[in-house]
Amino acid sequence: MPAAEKKKTVSFAEFLPFSEEHYRVMRRKQVVRLLLMYVAPVAILAAFFLIQYDAIVRESKRLHLQAIAESQANTLELFLSERLVNLSNLIDDPRHEFPPTSEVMEDDLDGLRKNSNAFVDIGFFDSTGVQTSYAGPYPSLEKRNYRQESWYKTLYDDQTGFIITDIYLGFRQRPHFTIAVSRTIDGAFVVLRATLAPEEIYNYLRSQTGSAEAITSIVNQTGNYQLATPRLGTPLEASSFVPPQKPDVGAGEARIDGRYLLYGYSWLQMANWAVIVQPASTDTQAFLSGFRLRIIIISVLFVLFGFVVAVIRARKLVDMQMESDRTRAQLGHAAKLASVGELASGIAHEINNPLAVITEESGLLMDYMDPQFGHTLDENDLHKRLSTIQESAFRCRDITRKLLRFVRRTDFDLQEHDVHDIINGVIDDLLGPEIEVSSIAVERNYDRSLPKLTTDSNQLQQVILNIVNNASDAIGDEQGTITITTSSHGNRVRISIKDTGCGMIQEQLDKVFMPFFTTKEVGKGTGLGLSVSYGIVRGLGGEIEVESTKGVGTTFTLVLPVKQKR
Ligand code: ADP
Ligand code: MG
């Protein structure tokens, strides 16, 4: 056994084959793996729920806002048509005289204000567009000609009989809007118009149900506020956005000051106005509330729980792994001890035989030399017995030599060699005569691009000789082939020696590298060939692989590094 390995076994009292760091990394990896297993699905599910929930909440908010906008628009439209009816009732009253006198106009205005205090003033226009009669706070407007005012022109041209204008400043320089009805009386085009104060309408709208949860504003087609809370803007100011014309009722999102705002809208039929409704409270306040908060808390609890479980599980798993590593290492150690025992009994067994022969032969020789027995020593006989003794002594020496080589790390003589030269040397020079007389064919399957190997050629020859000898023993007297194949794999070289011999069963295969394991008859095999070869190849930084099928054949493969690490 090499010295370094021996030291390692002794210092590892705990029998743990890996360092603390190894297990720490393993634990960390386990935690991550378990977290992915336990926590990731919960997190994904929670995220999915939240996204779905958001979408539903958003959609329902949109629908809600849209509904408020629609109902407010209806309310507003109802209000406006009522005001138009108020005016129509006046102009269509057969008892009403035209053009009216100032007193009549004052009465008319009083009557209108009883219906709604949004009415500011009232005026009557003759066919030339001059306001002939007026009642209200701006008497200076009387006698003015409105022929060029846009609302008058539209009313005159469109022949619809009524008009509701956008909010404008007009002659009086105050935001107001006009509703007017036109008739042809006695062949003359006359107009009765009233102006209304926007604030009153706004207050009216605000008094409607549902308006508390929303901010209402009204814009015209060019995007100017008609009515709005002071927070949003003042009438006639440009609004941040104009809702789309089609569909005339809907909901949307507008980007205002970098924030997305949800709104519902509805265009009026009678006027070119759109009612816009926005939520009264902002979303950010509501973000962590109710259902969403509950889902987040539950998910966080799950994740925490999963984390704790993962850490505990990982610790347990790694502890189990440590325990099994320890047991395996202990078993390995026990196996080593057992093989030392086997080795010792093997040595005893192997050496006992030649020692017995030596004892016996030398005893006999001594008997011959005793004159008491009167034997004469035949020279031939003496020679035969002495050589038997010598043979047995050599055999002992052989065994101890091989043993020493197995036990001691021998120093290698490392040089660059061509692997094929080494193999050829074994086949042609060392085995040549034997192979020639046998019925065994040797095939050489060489990879010509194989790099030169830094190795000990004598030792490597020893190994190859052992394996080829075994192969030829396995084939025996039958016909057979030994195929030697070389190949290169990165910085490793593979030399495989395949025979068509008897092959091995698994039990044999497990023991081939054990010292003194042999299936050959006494005197033929020592069972040291492969164990010595194994030691050499390990010493050269390589590996021996073996594959075998009973009755088919065996392949031994040497895997050797191209360069030696010194
Ligand atoms: P030995 O040749 O002295 O028996 P080895 O260590 O070389 O000792 O081989 C051990 C045993 O492994 C052999 O006795 C044989 O049973 C088996 N073995 C080795 N090589 C082969 C092979 N090519 N085919 C079948 N059996 C083999
Ligand atoms: Mg052998």
Side-chain angles (χ1 to χ4, degrees):
M1 193 178 297
E5 221 170 283
K6 198 190 261 171
K7 213 169 103 201
K8 193 171 148 200
T9 317
V10 172
S11 71
F12 258 112
E14 266 239 289
F15 295 110
L16 267 184
F18 301 108
S19 65
E20 278 288 305
E21 182 59 23
H22 171 87
Y23 290 105
R24 210 170 301 132
V25 171
M26 195 187 227
R27 205 169 291 139
R28 216 171 302 139
K29 278 188 187 156
Q30 264 315 330
V31 169
V32 171
R33 202 169 304 142
L34 289 173
L35 273 184
L36 281 181
M37 227 164 75
Y38 291 138
V39 175
V42 176
I44 290 171
L45 215 63
F48 174 75
F49 266 129
L50 282 182
I51 289 170
Q52 285 291 337
Y53 172 73
D54 263 8
I56 292 171
V57 165
R58 223 180 179 70
E59 187 53 32
S60 79
K61 257 190 209 154
R62 283 164 64 106
L63 289 177
H64 186 57
L65 287 175
Q66 182 182 323
I68 296 180
E70 205 174 354
S71 107
Q72 296 228 358
N74 286 340
T75 309
L76 187 55
E77 210 139 37
L78 192 67
F79 175 85
L80 291 174
S81 44
E82 274 174 5
R83 302 296 76 82
L84 274 176
V85 168
N86 292 154
L87 275 190
S88 301
N89 284 345
L90 283 180
I91 202 168
D92 293 336
D93 189 344
R95 292 162 297 172
H96 208 282
E97 52 177 280
F98 292 104
T101 61
S102 298
E103 291 82 54
V104 172
M105 285 304 258
E106 292 290 350
D107 282 350
D108 286 348
L109 185 57
D110 281 348
L112 288 176
R113 282 198 172 141
K114 281 204 184 87
N115 287 305
S116 163
N117 49 11
F119 283 110
V120 176
D121 58 9
I122 182 172
F124 178 79
F125 299 77
D126 66 14
S127 52
T128 60
V130 171
Q131 180 161 247
T132 52
S133 325
Y134 174 86
Y138 304 99
S140 61
L141 297 177
E142 207 177 319
K143 303 290 180 271
R144 270 187 188 261
N145 191 331
Y146 281 73
R147 192 74 190 82
Q148 294 308 317
E149 285 291 289
S150 69
W151 67 264
Y152 188 90
K153 281 201 283 187
T154 313
L155 188 61
Y156 189 84
D157 296 342
D158 286 1
Q159 298 287 319
T160 46
F162 75 93
I163 191 169
I164 299 172
T165 68
D166 287 355
I167 289 176
Y168 64 110
L169 293 174
F171 290 130
R172 66 189 72 174
Q173 296 300 309
R174 272 188 69 125
H176 66 288
F177 71 98
T178 284
I179 65 173
V181 290
S182 65
R183 294 289 184 271
T184 308
I185 297 176
D186 302 333
F189 179 78
V190 296
V191 171
L192 188 63
R193 80 118 185 210
T195 62
L196 286 91
E199 313 85 58
E200 289 300 326
I201 299 183
Y202 198 60
N203 290 340
Y204 174 74
L205 271 187
R206 292 253 309 248
S207 69
Q208 300 300 305
T209 50
S211 53
E213 41 181 322
I215 300 170
T216 305
S217 53
I218 296 170
V219 298
N220 64 6
Q221 274 171 330
T222 52
N224 291 101
Y225 277 125
Q226 302 296 298
L227 296 167
T229 52
R231 242 175 71 197
L232 287 176
T234 49
L236 292 183
E237 232 177 38
S239 147
S240 333
F241 64 96
V242 190
Q245 292 283 335
K246 288 235 170 294
D248 55 4
V249 178
E253 246 175 299
R255 208 178 139 83
I256 297 167
D257 303 336
R259 282 202 320 135
Y260 280 100
L261 262 185
L262 217 54
Y263 70 90
Y265 71 90
S266 178
W267 286 95
L268 265 58
Q269 310 279 335
M270 302 173 67
N272 293 324
W273 295 355
V275 174
I276 296 176
V277 175
Q278 292 164 9
S281 64
T282 49
D283 267 359
T284 36
Q285 289 160 319
F287 181 77
L288 279 180
S289 67
F291 182 70
R292 198 198 308 258
L293 185 66
R294 246 173 293 151
I295 282 218
I296 289 175
I297 288 177
I298 290 173
S299 312
V300 166
L301 285 180
F302 257 108
V303 167
L304 280 180
F305 178 72
F307 188 79
V308 171
V309 170
V311 168
I312 293 174
R313 286 282 309 157
R315 190 162 290 169
K316 219 168 230 162
L317 280 175
V318 172
D319 280 353
M320 272 158 68
Q321 182 64 42
M322 264 166 110
E323 198 47 51
S324 103
D325 283 352
R326 191 172 293 146
T327 316
R328 197 138 24 90
Q330 275 169 341
L331 279 179
H333 186 71
K336 263 182 211 156
L337 286 180
S339 67
V340 168
E342 258 174 67
L343 182 68
S345 70
I347 297 168
H349 181 78
E350 281 298 315
I351 289 184
N352 259 347
N353 279 333
L355 281 183
V357 174
I358 290 172
T359 322
E360 193 181 314
E361 293 293 327
S362 54
L364 265 173
L365 280 181
M366 276 201 264
D367 287 347
Y368 275 125
M369 288 165 73
D370 195 338
Q372 202 181 320
F373 293 98
H375 285 294
T376 45
L377 209 54
D378 178 338
E379 193 150 323
N380 267 345
D381 205 19
L382 178 66
H383 189 265
K384 212 176 103 197
R385 288 185 192 282
L386 280 178
S387 57
T388 310
I389 291 177
Q390 194 184 34
E391 221 173 76
S392 298
F394 277 159
R395 197 165 151 67
C396 285
R397 189 191 64 180
D398 218 36
I399 290 170
T400 49
R401 252 197 207 155
K402 284 185 181 171
L403 251 181
L404 281 180
R405 195 176 289 161
F406 174 73
V407 171
R408 198 191 299 141
R409 181 194 279 280
T410 41
D411 284 332
F412 293 106
D413 174 22
L414 297 175
Q415 306 277 340
E416 269 206 353
H417 293 285
D418 183 337
V419 180
H420 300 140
D421 286 348
I422 295 177
I423 303 171
N424 291 340
V426 175
I427 310 287
D428 301 331
D429 305 341
L430 295 177
L431 278 174
E434 272 174 57
I435 294 267
E436 248 160 51
V437 295
S438 73
S439 50
I440 296 171
V442 178
E443 268 177 26
R444 287 166 235 215
N445 213 344
Y446 292 168
D447 176 356
R448 295 287 160 202
S449 64
L450 213 65
K452 280 206 179 336
L453 221 56
T454 306
T455 195
D456 182 319
S457 63
N458 280 329
Q459 305 268 18
L460 190 53
Q461 275 194 334
Q462 181 85 40
V463 172
I464 294 171
L465 181 66
N466 269 330
I467 294 174
V468 174
N469 263 332
N470 283 346
S472 116
D473 284 346
I475 294 170
D477 294 333
E478 325 254 307
Q479 292 275 351
T481 313
I482 298 175
T483 312
I484 304 176
T485 309
T486 58
S487 58
S488 155
H489 302 263
N491 56 356
R492 311 225 117 193
V493 157
R494 291 173 74 90
I495 306 165
S496 79
I497 297 159
K498 180 182 167 201
D499 66 64
T500 56
C502 58
M504 284 176 273
I505 56 169
Q506 187 62 42
E507 264 183 8
Q508 281 173 280
L509 211 51
D510 290 342
K511 292 187 200 155
V512 277
F513 295 112
M514 259 163 56
F516 301 111
F517 169 73
T518 178
T519 54
K520 294 166 192 172
E521 57 197 75
V522 180
K524 189 139 202 325
T526 55
L528 285 174
L530 284 178
S531 59
V532 168
S533 299
Y534 183 82
I536 293 174
V537 171
R538 290 305 300 243
L540 290 172
E543 211 96 48
I544 304 185
E545 295 167 4
V546 54
E547 269 175 86
S548 187
T549 312
K550 184 80 193 158
V552 175
T554 308
T555 306
F556 279 89
T557 305
L558 306 178
V559 186
L560 293 166
V562 175
K563 286 255 170 334
Q564 287 290 328
K565 276 184 232 122
R566 284 171 198 253

